[in-house]
Amino acid sequence: MLPVCNFTCYRPVTPMSSRNSPTASVESKQEGSVAPRERIVSCAAELFRKFGIRGIGVDAIAEAAHTNKMTLYRKFRSKDDLLCETLRQVTQRAMVFWTELDQDDQKDAAAKLNSWVDFHVQRLEQEPGGCDLANAVVELRDIAHPAYGVVQEFKTSQRDRLAALCTAAGATDPNLLADTLSLLLEGARVNRQATGADGSSRRLRESCNATIKAFAPS
Amino acid sequence: MLPVCNFTCYRPVTPMSSRNSPTASVESKQEGSVAPRERIVSCAAELFRKFGIRGIGVDAIAEAAHTNKMTLYRKFRSKDDLLCETLRQVTQRAMVFWTELDQDDQKDAAAKLNSWVDFHVQRLEQEPGGCDLANAVVELRDIAHPAYGVVQEFKTSQRDRLAALCTAAGATDPNLLADTLSLLLEGARVNRQATGADGSSRRLRESCNATIKAFAPS
DNA sequence: GGACAGTGTTACCAGTCTGTAACTTCACTT
DNA sequence: AAGTGAAGTTACAGACTGGTAACACTGTCC
């Protein structure tokens, strides 16, 4: 019902033909080279995002990473294991935003809240595929799956951090503001997938700003 | 990676053993009986919801509907075709709310907006599986899929109706209010799937009320 | 009684999937 | 130069998938 055909996501550091040549060995020591495991994870993340977890096979992932299935299974116990690893990588990427925001002494809490909005509005435009974590849960539909734990932990931590920010910004009912903003963001991501760029998510920034204003101290 | 095993969703009108007996023919004329096509659609809707579109096979759907694969393929050209039909059924169920709301002369626009919130908060608690339409888009991840059109059309019509209601209620910037409420609802549904009942979706009603209040005419 | 449409049954095709086994080749270290 | 461990290659097992073909059965209507 959905033939998956073309998958070339990993930009080869060395072309396939010269991989076993001396040149390849040199390149493998240069800074541009990436270990098979990392290549697999980043390719898997991209292919899962593009075709869905069930929509792409391990063979295709290995091929895209310019390696093979056996190597993949030497690095990961199972496809589920690989999936969890890719999700953890996605969460780590998001954590960078928070640490950078924490270290920024120039902005006060209110300005940081605006940065949060900016960051996510920008990401919505750049990556219209929605939240990988939420997508995984929707696709798997199984609470017992190990990926579910990864997602739940991450989402909770994100909400807690946002709530702390709202508190610092002196919002009335900061927890409710954090919840509301979380829902707006999550909704915008899925809405963008379902109805495209011209749907309700188009004015996410204005929605967030109106919400923040409504919770401003009087 | 995810063995699908038990699927008994369609409450049997007649037990399998007596289906070809005279009793079965009598029962097939009673009001309790349902035509195979309808049984297939409702079973498919439930199983798609429970296991995902790719997580359940046509054979299992046919079995749950107490029929077989051949009959399924006589009624539907393909699994995709069946999927579209189930999604259309889901949209029709939601349309009932709007027609009832339109016909209600007791409530003014503001009260109807509250009804909208009530309706969806209630549905969120009753059906924690999220929006079937949005889930389908997330799972398929293919704009060319016929289901995408069904979803997009429905989501747009929902938003338009909500915007009309916000206009009637005299909201400042009714379109933005409709967008914001749409995002809140959509976000709550996916958030509930990803983080459970105690996540940010728990206070959806309060989030909506705060938002509506923020757009109230001064 | 007989045609007929709807349904059930069985078997099958061709493709895909995850995961494993056995073996070869390579690069690097000592 | 030898050895070691990581990676590539090939083949395969076992299960499942969507979809089709051919045929048997059943109740209904003329």
Side-chain angles (χ1 to χ4, degrees):
Chain A
M1 62 190 287
L2 190 140
V4 174
C5 358
N6 298 327
F7 35 81
T8 43
C9 67
Y10 177 70
R11 251 264 306 259
V13 269
T14 61
M16 202 57 172
S17 55
S18 66
R19 289 219 83 226
N20 294 333
S21 69
T23 338
S25 78
V26 171
E27 289 232 289
S28 72
K29 282 206 162 185
Q30 287 180 347
E31 60 184 26
S33 84
V34 185
R37 193 192 145 94
E38 294 173 53
R39 295 205 312 261
I40 292 170
V41 171
S42 67
C43 280
E46 190 168 332
L47 291 171
F48 284 151
R49 197 174 299 133
K50 200 176 268 179
F51 299 106
I53 298 160
R54 283 208 172 93
I56 197 80
V58 286
D59 233 339
I61 292 170
E63 191 179 329
H66 287 99
T67 178
N68 52 52
K69 198 163 56 166
M70 269 315 300
T71 301
L72 190 152
Y73 274 101
R74 284 188 197 111
K75 304 295 178 189
F76 305 94
R77 257 180 305 181
S78 65
K79 187 184 182 182
D80 289 334
D81 195 30
L82 171 59
L83 171 64
C84 289
E85 198 55 40
T86 63
L87 294 182
R88 275 189 217 103
Q89 190 200 250
V90 170
T91 65
Q92 278 208 329
R93 206 161 34 124
M95 284 301 184
V96 171
F97 164 76
W98 284 110
T99 53
E100 282 180 359
L101 198 69
D102 283 348
Q103 288 168 356
D104 192 337
D105 293 331
Q106 307 271 24
K107 294 175 185 161
D108 64 351
K112 287 183 180 182
L113 202 52
N114 281 330
S115 294
W116 183 90
V117 174
D118 282 341
F119 176 72
H120 284 109
V121 166
Q122 211 171 335
R123 278 199 37 155
L124 181 72
E125 285 162 13
Q126 286 170 358
E127 301 174 21
C131 173
D132 296 334
L133 287 290
N135 288 355
V137 168
V138 168
E139 197 175 347
L140 295 172
R141 237 162 283 198
D142 177 18
I143 299 182
H145 196 286
Y148 185 75
V150 179
V151 176
Q152 200 168 22
E153 190 183 347
F154 175 71
K155 290 281 178 193
T156 307
S157 82
Q158 292 292 298
R159 201 214 78 108
D160 288 348
R161 277 175 174 270
L162 182 60
L165 197 54
C166 292
T167 304
T172 66
D173 204 338
N175 285 318
L176 185 58
L177 176 56
D179 283 337
T180 308
L181 289 175
S182 295
L183 295 186
L184 284 175
L185 172 61
E186 202 99 64
R189 282 166 157 176
V190 64
N191 186 277
R192 208 205 140 107
Q193 283 187 84
T195 67
D198 284 337
S200 298
S201 72
R202 208 190 68 212
R203 297 168 75 187
L204 172 63
R205 175 176 269 114
E206 294 171 73
S207 293
C208 288
N209 287 341
T211 303
I212 292 172
K213 197 176 169 190
F215 284 82
S218 54
Chain B
M1 65 186 285
L2 190 143
V4 174
C5 2
N6 299 326
F7 34 81
T8 44
C9 70
Y10 177 69
R11 252 263 308 258
V13 269
T14 61
M16 203 56 173
S17 57
S18 66
R19 287 222 84 219
N20 293 334
S21 71
T23 340
S25 76
V26 171
E27 289 232 289
S28 74
K29 282 207 160 182
Q30 289 179 348
E31 59 183 29
S33 84
V34 185
R37 194 193 145 93
E38 295 174 53
R39 295 202 315 257
I40 291 170
V41 171
S42 67
C43 280
E46 192 169 331
L47 291 171
F48 284 151
R49 198 173 299 132
K50 200 176 269 181
F51 299 105
I53 298 161
R54 285 209 173 91
I56 197 80
V58 286
D59 232 339
I61 292 170
E63 190 179 330
H66 287 100
T67 179
N68 52 49
K69 198 161 61 166
M70 269 316 300
T71 301
L72 187 152
Y73 274 101
R74 285 189 194 110
K75 305 296 177 188
F76 305 94
R77 256 179 305 178
S78 64
K79 187 185 182 184
D80 289 334
D81 195 29
L82 171 59
L83 171 64
C84 289
E85 198 56 41
T86 64
L87 293 182
R88 275 189 216 102
Q89 191 199 251
V90 169
T91 65
Q92 278 207 329
R93 205 160 36 122
M95 284 301 185
V96 172
F97 165 76
W98 283 109
T99 53
E100 282 180 1
L101 198 69
D102 283 346
Q103 288 167 355
D104 192 338
D105 293 332
Q106 306 273 26
K107 294 174 185 161
D108 63 352
K112 288 184 179 181
L113 203 52
N114 282 330
S115 295
W116 183 90
V117 174
D118 282 342
F119 175 73
H120 284 107
V121 166
Q122 211 169 336
R123 278 200 36 159
L124 181 71
E125 286 163 12
Q126 285 170 359
E127 302 174 21
C131 174
D132 296 334
L133 288 290
N135 287 355
V137 169
V138 168
E139 198 175 345
L140 295 172
R141 234 163 284 196
D142 177 20
I143 298 181
H145 196 287
Y148 186 76
V150 179
V151 175
Q152 198 168 24
E153 190 183 348
F154 175 72
K155 291 281 176 193
T156 306
S157 82
Q158 293 291 300
R159 202 213 78 106
D160 288 348
R161 277 175 176 268
L162 183 59
L165 197 55
C166 292
T167 304
T172 65
D173 203 338
N175 286 318
L176 184 58
L177 176 56
D179 283 337
T180 308
L181 290 175
S182 296
L183 296 187
L184 284 176
L185 173 60
E186 203 97 64
R189 282 165 155 175
V190 64
N191 185 278
R192 204 200 145 110
Q193 283 188 86
T195 66
D198 283 337
S200 298
S201 72
R202 210 189 67 210
R203 296 168 76 185
L204 172 63
R205 176 176 268 113
E206 295 170 72
S207 292
C208 288
N209 287 341
T211 303
I212 293 172
K213 198 176 168 190
F215 284 82
S218 55

